[in-house]
Structure formats: structure tokens, C-alpha cells
Amino acid sequence: MQIIRTKSGLRALTTSWRRAGERIAVVPTMGALHDGHLSLVTAARAHAERVIVTLFVNPRQFNNPEDLAKYPRTEQSDAAKLAPFGADVLYVPDGDQMYPQGFATNISVSGVSEGLCGAARPGHFDGVATVVTKLLIQTDADVAMFGEKDFQQLQVVRRLAEDLDLKTRIIGCPTVREADGLAMSSRNLRLGDESRARAPVIRQTLAQAADRIRQGAQVAAVLADAGDQLRAAGLGPVDYLEYRRDSDLQPAAAPDAPARLLVAAWLDGVRLIDNLEVAPAG
Ligand code: PAF
């Protein structure tokens, strides 16, 4: 696996691949790789002859400077983890490559980026949309893999790829979970032992709420109970706990598929998100 740090170096390589008729898949990441990311690399391999993993901790998507400062930077161990997964390139641009002096463009997706994490983290999805657009163009990708754990992000990226006529096909991949159900996330590393032991309650709460909605319970009551359950387990504040349609992330009325429960809640100073599809009863 080659490590490439410049746009020009990357372009030389992608041009040679294109000449050879090879397809390119990209897995955009901010590093601190875990099995969730690695599953995206495996999925990427099934779609293209060439796989690029990008590693860039994007300052524009952090609305909180402390969060940016605390974000783990683990390039060496990330490269070591990727080695057995068959990525061709780890692309690690620096801030000047991505946002050179004079950079003045912002990609802003309305609709699906509003509410949920968009409300709790102002500017976050503009930062994501801007960097993802640049990464898709820089890597010349035919397909790009995104985890469903960040479901709102996935829908924002799908929207921008369609609206900007990008050639890249956006593929959502299932959330990878720890054995106890906690969705894998780089943020889990920040949980102390006691909080880590408590964190699976998020997934348990979503699963119970999903069952009730499937059985026809009133959505508002289910959401209120689920929020109480999280707070009783020591999580808080709960930024949101919602039942939304997949397509436009607007409130869903049960039973209304495809739709899912989405949550963001704080545990021990760490903001955790998760979501769960409410499959129709059947
Ligand atoms: O999901 C992430 O890690 C980031 O938001 C992404 C898509 C790599 C953009 O910086």
C-alpha cells in the first residue's frame, strides 16, 4: 500500500489506473480506524480493481475546537491495520492540500442536513459536504463507501452527489457493532470503563423502541419512553431521539417504511450516535 500526500501524486496514479481501464473505489475516513472502517474497505474491494482510503481530519466539520483537538491521530497504526485489507493507497493530504490559501468555497446541502446532527452541530454538514466533494473529485472515484452509522451524513452525501452530477456512486454499508451491540466509533475510545459498560444501552433502547413501533405503539409515546430509559441509564443530555423516514429524514408515522430511529446522546462527556431501521412487521 502506497502512502500519498499530494493531489498531484494521487492524480498521476489515478490517471495510470484509468488508462489501464481500472475502476476506483474510495473509503473516506478521518483515521482512528476500527473494524467498521475495515468493513468498508472490504466492501470497496468488491466494487473496483483499485481502492483508495483517505485519511484527513477535516477541521471544517468540527464546530467545537476541543473536539477537533481531542480527535485521535493515529496514521501509523491506521496504515498497519489497512495492510491486510488490500487497499492500494492511503491518501493523507495535509491542510494546505485540501484548503490552500484563498480557499473560499462552501458546499451546503439543505433539507436532509437540517435537524438531527445538523441542529446540534451547526456547520458540521457544510464541512462534511465540502470535504467529501473534494475527496470524490480528487480520487476520481467510481464508487464511494460510507457507513450507515452516520446515516444523516450518508443521506447528505447521496444528495450532493446527485445534485452536483458527480459520477461517483454512493454506497451505504451496514453499521458494524461490538459484541455487546455498541456501534463502532472512534469516539468509543474516549469512554472510561464504567461508561463503556453502560454504552450498549443505546442500541438496546433503540431495539426495544423499534419493536414497539413495529407492534403499532404510538410513536410519540415510544420516543418519550426511550429518552427516559437513556437518561435513567445515565446518558445525557439526549440531543435527539427521533423516528424519521430514510428518504428525506422527515418525521415518520408508524408503520412507515423505510424509516429508522436515530439518536445522539452524551455519555461521560462523549457524544455518541446510533440508528436502527424499523423493519416492517412481517
Ligand atoms: O465519517 C467521517 O469519518 C467523515 O465525516 C468523512 C466522511 C471522512 C468526512 O471527513
PDB file of all heavy atoms in Angstrom, residues 3 6 43 66 85 109 128 145 156 161 179 191 195 208 211 223 226 248 271:
ATOM      1  N   ILE A   3       1.560   5.270   0.470  1.00  0.00           N
ATOM      2  CA  ILE A   3       1.011   6.435   1.167  1.00  0.00           C
ATOM      3  C   ILE A   3       1.280   7.650   0.277  1.00  0.00           C
ATOM      4  O   ILE A   3       2.431   7.884  -0.124  1.00  0.00           O
ATOM      5  CB  ILE A   3       1.644   6.599   2.560  1.00  0.00           C
ATOM      6  CG1 ILE A   3       1.261   5.361   3.399  1.00  0.00           C
ATOM      7  CG2 ILE A   3       1.173   7.894   3.227  1.00  0.00           C
ATOM      8  CD1 ILE A   3       1.639   5.396   4.846  1.00  0.00           C
ATOM      9  N   THR A   6      -0.015  14.111  -1.736  1.00  0.00           N
ATOM     10  CA  THR A   6      -0.318  15.282  -2.574  1.00  0.00           C
ATOM     11  C   THR A   6      -1.377  14.951  -3.625  1.00  0.00           C
ATOM     12  O   THR A   6      -1.471  13.810  -4.092  1.00  0.00           O
ATOM     13  CB  THR A   6       0.947  15.771  -3.314  1.00  0.00           C
ATOM     14  OG1 THR A   6       1.410  14.717  -4.161  1.00  0.00           O
ATOM     15  CG2 THR A   6       2.041  16.192  -2.334  1.00  0.00           C
ATOM     16  N   ALA A  43     -15.743  -4.021   1.475  1.00  0.00           N
ATOM     17  CA  ALA A  43     -16.856  -3.790   0.530  1.00  0.00           C
ATOM     18  C   ALA A  43     -16.340  -3.080  -0.719  1.00  0.00           C
ATOM     19  O   ALA A  43     -16.748  -3.399  -1.848  1.00  0.00           O
ATOM     20  CB  ALA A  43     -17.951  -2.962   1.212  1.00  0.00           C
ATOM     21  N   GLU A  66     -12.399  21.996  20.782  1.00  0.00           N
ATOM     22  CA  GLU A  66     -11.894  20.998  21.726  1.00  0.00           C
ATOM     23  C   GLU A  66     -12.042  19.584  21.150  1.00  0.00           C
ATOM     24  O   GLU A  66     -11.169  18.731  21.288  1.00  0.00           O
ATOM     25  CB  GLU A  66     -12.712  21.114  23.009  1.00  0.00           C
ATOM     26  CG  GLU A  66     -11.967  20.700  24.257  1.00  0.00           C
ATOM     27  CD  GLU A  66     -12.910  20.804  25.449  1.00  0.00           C
ATOM     28  OE1 GLU A  66     -13.521  21.886  25.613  1.00  0.00           O
ATOM     29  OE2 GLU A  66     -13.050  19.807  26.156  1.00  0.00           O
ATOM     30  N   PHE A  85      -5.866  -5.597   4.211  1.00  0.00           N
ATOM     31  CA  PHE A  85      -7.194  -5.455   3.589  1.00  0.00           C
ATOM     32  C   PHE A  85      -7.142  -5.094   2.109  1.00  0.00           C
ATOM     33  O   PHE A  85      -8.177  -4.898   1.475  1.00  0.00           O
ATOM     34  CB  PHE A  85      -8.048  -4.465   4.381  1.00  0.00           C
ATOM     35  CG  PHE A  85      -8.570  -5.083   5.637  1.00  0.00           C
ATOM     36  CD1 PHE A  85      -7.794  -5.125   6.778  1.00  0.00           C
ATOM     37  CD2 PHE A  85      -9.813  -5.694   5.671  1.00  0.00           C
ATOM     38  CE1 PHE A  85      -8.236  -5.739   7.937  1.00  0.00           C
ATOM     39  CE2 PHE A  85     -10.284  -6.313   6.820  1.00  0.00           C
ATOM     40  CZ  PHE A  85      -9.492  -6.338   7.958  1.00  0.00           C
ATOM     41  N   VAL A 109     -25.735  21.584   1.751  1.00  0.00           N
ATOM     42  CA  VAL A 109     -26.883  20.789   1.291  1.00  0.00           C
ATOM     43  C   VAL A 109     -28.051  21.115   2.204  1.00  0.00           C
ATOM     44  O   VAL A 109     -27.944  20.939   3.415  1.00  0.00           O
ATOM     45  CB  VAL A 109     -26.539  19.276   1.390  1.00  0.00           C
ATOM     46  CG1 VAL A 109     -27.724  18.421   0.995  1.00  0.00           C
ATOM     47  CG2 VAL A 109     -25.316  18.951   0.537  1.00  0.00           C
ATOM     48  N   VAL A 128     -18.621  18.634   6.120  1.00  0.00           N
ATOM     49  CA  VAL A 128     -18.589  17.276   5.558  1.00  0.00           C
ATOM     50  C   VAL A 128     -18.815  17.341   4.042  1.00  0.00           C
ATOM     51  O   VAL A 128     -18.082  16.732   3.253  1.00  0.00           O
ATOM     52  CB  VAL A 128     -19.664  16.380   6.217  1.00  0.00           C
ATOM     53  CG1 VAL A 128     -19.809  15.065   5.467  1.00  0.00           C
ATOM     54  CG2 VAL A 128     -19.336  16.130   7.685  1.00  0.00           C
ATOM     55  N   MET A 145     -17.687   4.495  -0.395  1.00  0.00           N
ATOM     56  CA  MET A 145     -18.348   3.724   0.645  1.00  0.00           C
ATOM     57  C   MET A 145     -18.512   4.582   1.912  1.00  0.00           C
ATOM     58  O   MET A 145     -17.541   5.218   2.357  1.00  0.00           O
ATOM     59  CB  MET A 145     -17.510   2.494   1.031  1.00  0.00           C
ATOM     60  CG  MET A 145     -16.795   1.803  -0.120  1.00  0.00           C
ATOM     61  SD  MET A 145     -17.864   1.286  -1.453  1.00  0.00           S
ATOM     62  CE  MET A 145     -18.770  -0.012  -0.647  1.00  0.00           C
ATOM     63  N   VAL A 156     -26.803  13.064   3.247  1.00  0.00           N
ATOM     64  CA  VAL A 156     -26.258  14.349   2.764  1.00  0.00           C
ATOM     65  C   VAL A 156     -25.341  14.090   1.564  1.00  0.00           C
ATOM     66  O   VAL A 156     -25.419  14.775   0.532  1.00  0.00           O
ATOM     67  CB  VAL A 156     -25.495  15.079   3.897  1.00  0.00           C
ATOM     68  CG1 VAL A 156     -24.678  16.247   3.361  1.00  0.00           C
ATOM     69  CG2 VAL A 156     -26.469  15.564   4.982  1.00  0.00           C
ATOM     70  N   ALA A 161     -24.042  14.259  -4.231  1.00  0.00           N
ATOM     71  CA  ALA A 161     -23.509  13.561  -5.416  1.00  0.00           C
ATOM     72  C   ALA A 161     -24.512  13.653  -6.555  1.00  0.00           C
ATOM     73  O   ALA A 161     -24.136  13.866  -7.720  1.00  0.00           O
ATOM     74  CB  ALA A 161     -23.211  12.106  -5.072  1.00  0.00           C
ATOM     75  N   ALA A 179     -19.477  -6.802  20.188  1.00  0.00           N
ATOM     76  CA  ALA A 179     -20.261  -7.990  20.561  1.00  0.00           C
ATOM     77  C   ALA A 179     -21.465  -7.602  21.430  1.00  0.00           C
ATOM     78  O   ALA A 179     -22.514  -8.237  21.362  1.00  0.00           O
ATOM     79  CB  ALA A 179     -19.381  -8.976  21.303  1.00  0.00           C
ATOM     80  N   LEU A 191     -14.365   6.643  26.048  1.00  0.00           N
ATOM     81  CA  LEU A 191     -15.212   6.277  27.185  1.00  0.00           C
ATOM     82  C   LEU A 191     -14.374   5.602  28.267  1.00  0.00           C
ATOM     83  O   LEU A 191     -13.554   4.728  27.968  1.00  0.00           O
ATOM     84  CB  LEU A 191     -16.306   5.299  26.727  1.00  0.00           C
ATOM     85  CG  LEU A 191     -17.334   5.837  25.733  1.00  0.00           C
ATOM     86  CD1 LEU A 191     -18.202   4.690  25.209  1.00  0.00           C
ATOM     87  CD2 LEU A 191     -18.208   6.909  26.385  1.00  0.00           C
ATOM     88  N   SER A 195     -18.358   3.875  31.751  1.00  0.00           N
ATOM     89  CA  SER A 195     -19.239   4.378  30.688  1.00  0.00           C
ATOM     90  C   SER A 195     -19.303   3.387  29.533  1.00  0.00           C
ATOM     91  O   SER A 195     -20.361   3.177  28.935  1.00  0.00           O
ATOM     92  CB  SER A 195     -18.729   5.706  30.150  1.00  0.00           C
ATOM     93  OG  SER A 195     -18.504   6.574  31.197  1.00  0.00           O
ATOM     94  N   GLN A 208     -35.661  -1.958  21.496  1.00  0.00           N
ATOM     95  CA  GLN A 208     -36.968  -2.082  22.170  1.00  0.00           C
ATOM     96  C   GLN A 208     -37.979  -1.113  21.566  1.00  0.00           C
ATOM     97  O   GLN A 208     -39.133  -1.449  21.336  1.00  0.00           O
ATOM     98  CB  GLN A 208     -36.824  -1.803  23.665  1.00  0.00           C
ATOM     99  CG  GLN A 208     -36.193  -2.963  24.415  1.00  0.00           C
ATOM    100  CD  GLN A 208     -35.675  -2.556  25.790  1.00  0.00           C
ATOM    101  OE1 GLN A 208     -36.006  -1.480  26.295  1.00  0.00           O
ATOM    102  NE2 GLN A 208     -34.866  -3.407  26.396  1.00  0.00           N
ATOM    103  N   ASP A 211     -39.202  -2.381  18.254  1.00  0.00           N
ATOM    104  CA  ASP A 211     -40.212  -3.453  18.412  1.00  0.00           C
ATOM    105  C   ASP A 211     -41.580  -2.858  18.702  1.00  0.00           C
ATOM    106  O   ASP A 211     -42.586  -3.278  18.131  1.00  0.00           O
ATOM    107  CB  ASP A 211     -39.829  -4.370  19.587  1.00  0.00           C
ATOM    108  CG  ASP A 211     -38.779  -5.379  19.180  1.00  0.00           C
ATOM    109  OD1 ASP A 211     -38.551  -5.542  17.956  1.00  0.00           O
ATOM    110  OD2 ASP A 211     -38.157  -5.979  20.078  1.00  0.00           O
ATOM    111  N   LEU A 223     -41.031   7.275  21.781  1.00  0.00           N
ATOM    112  CA  LEU A 223     -39.830   8.129  21.810  1.00  0.00           C
ATOM    113  C   LEU A 223     -39.618   8.708  23.206  1.00  0.00           C
ATOM    114  O   LEU A 223     -38.487   8.779  23.698  1.00  0.00           O
ATOM    115  CB  LEU A 223     -39.934   9.247  20.775  1.00  0.00           C
ATOM    116  CG  LEU A 223     -39.985   8.786  19.303  1.00  0.00           C
ATOM    117  CD1 LEU A 223     -40.106   9.994  18.370  1.00  0.00           C
ATOM    118  CD2 LEU A 223     -38.759   7.965  18.922  1.00  0.00           C
ATOM    119  N   ALA A 226     -38.293   5.969  25.463  1.00  0.00           N
ATOM    120  CA  ALA A 226     -36.905   5.614  25.124  1.00  0.00           C
ATOM    121  C   ALA A 226     -35.943   6.681  25.649  1.00  0.00           C
ATOM    122  O   ALA A 226     -34.872   6.364  26.179  1.00  0.00           O
ATOM    123  CB  ALA A 226     -36.769   5.431  23.621  1.00  0.00           C
ATOM    124  N   ASP A 248     -35.982  11.310   3.254  1.00  0.00           N
ATOM    125  CA  ASP A 248     -35.781  12.749   3.429  1.00  0.00           C
ATOM    126  C   ASP A 248     -35.547  13.142   4.888  1.00  0.00           C
ATOM    127  O   ASP A 248     -35.450  14.329   5.202  1.00  0.00           O
ATOM    128  CB  ASP A 248     -36.990  13.516   2.871  1.00  0.00           C
ATOM    129  CG  ASP A 248     -38.296  13.059   3.496  1.00  0.00           C
ATOM    130  OD1 ASP A 248     -38.247  12.236   4.440  1.00  0.00           O
ATOM    131  OD2 ASP A 248     -39.366  13.514   3.059  1.00  0.00           O
ATOM    132  N   ARG A 271     -20.042  12.359  22.873  1.00  0.00           N
ATOM    133  CA  ARG A 271     -21.309  12.359  22.130  1.00  0.00           C
ATOM    134  C   ARG A 271     -21.355  11.119  21.240  1.00  0.00           C
ATOM    135  O   ARG A 271     -20.515  10.945  20.357  1.00  0.00           O
ATOM    136  CB  ARG A 271     -21.411  13.622  21.276  1.00  0.00           C
ATOM    137  CG  ARG A 271     -22.733  13.797  20.579  1.00  0.00           C
ATOM    138  CD  ARG A 271     -22.762  15.166  19.905  1.00  0.00           C
ATOM    139  NE  ARG A 271     -24.042  15.464  19.313  1.00  0.00           N
ATOM    140  CZ  ARG A 271     -24.385  15.084  18.085  1.00  0.00           C
ATOM    141  NH1 ARG A 271     -23.566  14.401  17.332  1.00  0.00           N
ATOM    142  NH2 ARG A 271     -25.584  15.407  17.615  1.00  0.00           N
TER     143      ARG A 271
END
